[in-house]
Amino acid sequence: MAYDFDTVVNRRGTNSVKYDFAKKLGKPEGILPLWVADMDFRTAPEIIDRLQKTVAHGIYGYSDTKEDYFNAVAN
């Protein structure tokens, strides 16, 4: 699948720590924000789709993590 790394999304005005809180955190206004690990690209469509399916379920109760999750993190 092809991903778009050419379109930069304007994050200003979205409560982004990288941009909106730089001055509050003592950074000069207009500084190139390389001090925080944050991307300015849209999330991969596969991730957005899975999140939307999970949210559409409508129940936000407590869940338990299965072994495959721990294996994925460990690997």
Side-chain angles (χ1 to χ4, degrees), residues 65-75:
T65 305
K66 296 186 178 180
E67 191 66 27
D68 57 344
Y69 167 80
F70 293 109
N71 290 335
V73 171
N75 290 322

Side-chain angles (χ1 to χ4, degrees), residues 23-59:
K23 187 173 181 181
K24 182 178 179 180
L25 295 172
K27 309 294 180 195
E29 194 165 330
I31 191 170
L32 184 60
L34 300 176
W35 54 276
V36 64
D38 192 352
M39 299 290 288
D40 293 323
F41 307 105
R42 285 185 50 88
T43 302
E46 299 88 350
I47 296 171
I48 294 171
D49 290 343
R50 183 59 196 165
L51 285 170
Q52 288 174 336
K53 287 176 185 173
T54 301
V55 169
H57 184 267
I59 303 297

